Amino acid sequence: MTSVMPASPVVLLPGTGSDEVFVRSVFAGPLASVGLTPHTPTPPVGDALACGYLAVLDRAAEDAGMPIVVGGISFGAHLAAEWATRNPAACAGLLLAMPAWNGPPGDAPASHAARHCAELVDRHGLDAALARCTEGVPGWLATELDRAWRRHGAGLAAGLRAAGRHPGPDLDALATLPAPTGIATCVDDPVHPADVAWRWAAALPRASVVETTLSTLGADRESLGRATVLAWLRARSGVAGIR
């Protein structure tokens, strides 16, 4: 990728229980290669997670005085897409990694996991919940969760619960969004099923999907960012879908 982008402001949000450190590690390098620098705000505290991040995007667009690029990972991607459907004229593009559901969460794996982990934190405390929720996961993911969960502090359980119950973007609403959208999905990730990414892309007028894997992400954080940025460049060029 080469530097071909105008200097549009970019705001990226992390996923449930994650933080700005991780989303920056995923996207900073790939975006720098196209001349962009991401703003990665610190997660709002507790049950203000969703409304707080939507307010952050409102302020970012107002401060920029021009359309902005928004996006994120998992729940961060959900909120970015939700904001964009409410503010289509303010959105210059979308960078969406690992979407987890659309519409009401129902029994979506990521929603169930967030709510279950919230209960464990409330019942057993942070250390015990971390031990249970990271059992059997790759070492890199356990390390990321250990850092991020501790940084969320006393608001962790409320934030997990707020994310787990928040509706994902409605497919009909996505269909009204004209901004070019890049979506990345990990085909070996049962918590963020690839089918969700393809449903979002099918609904969006200008979207492309690039598939990668969790194992690749474990070895190279920027692999997910590169996939998302590549999908966005394709969407900007009018190349839709792609498997």
Side-chain angles (χ1 to χ4, degrees):
M1 292 183 284
T2 58
S3 181
V4 296
M5 298 291 105
S8 303
V10 181
V11 185
L12 299 173
L13 312 178
T16 306
S18 186
D19 62 6
E20 77 283 4
V21 176
F22 181 68
V23 75
R24 191 182 307 124
S25 72
V26 167
F27 279 103
L31 284 172
S33 72
V34 293
L36 297 174
T37 301
H39 172 57
T40 53
T42 302
V45 177
D47 58 11
L49 185 68
C51 63
Y53 264 142
L54 293 171
V56 164
L57 295 178
D58 285 337
R59 290 194 297 271
E62 183 177 355
D63 291 345
M66 63 185 294
I68 63 175
V69 176
V70 297
I73 300 171
S74 187
F75 187 60
H78 290 204
L79 293 177
E82 178 181 337
W83 181 86
T85 62
R86 297 178 183 180
N87 303 274
C91 180
L94 285 149
L95 296 163
L96 307 177
M98 301 168 65
W101 67 82
N102 52 273
D107 293 327
S111 170
H112 175 78
R115 291 181 278 115
H116 175 65
C117 289
E119 291 300 318
L120 290 177
V121 172
D122 281 341
R123 292 181 183 179
H124 304 290
L126 176 59
D127 288 334
L130 269 169
R132 295 191 186 193
C133 292
T134 59
E135 185 177 358
V137 307
W140 69 267
L141 180 55
T143 299
E144 291 289 345
L145 291 176
D146 186 88
R147 182 201 66 251
W149 279 25
R150 295 183 189 283
R151 294 186 68 221
H152 279 265
L156 174 63
L160 291 171
R161 198 171 285 112
R165 69 187 180 213
H166 194 82
D170 180 81
L171 295 181
D172 289 338
L174 291 179
T176 69
L177 187 58
T181 303
I183 305 175
T185 185
C186 294
V187 296
D188 56 349
D189 182 2
V191 178
H192 305 85
D195 285 350
V196 175
W198 287 102
R199 283 201 299 271
W200 284 32
L204 286 154
R206 299 175 64 193
S208 184
V209 178
V210 171
E211 296 180 335
T212 182
T213 65
L214 277 180
S215 57
T216 303
L217 175 59
D220 175 9
R221 303 293 182 272
E222 292 187 354
S223 63
L224 183 63
R226 288 195 299 272
T228 313
V229 173
L230 176 58
W232 183 48
L233 294 175
R234 289 174 173 175
R236 284 171 56 94
S237 300
V239 181
I242 298 183
R243 281 191 182 269

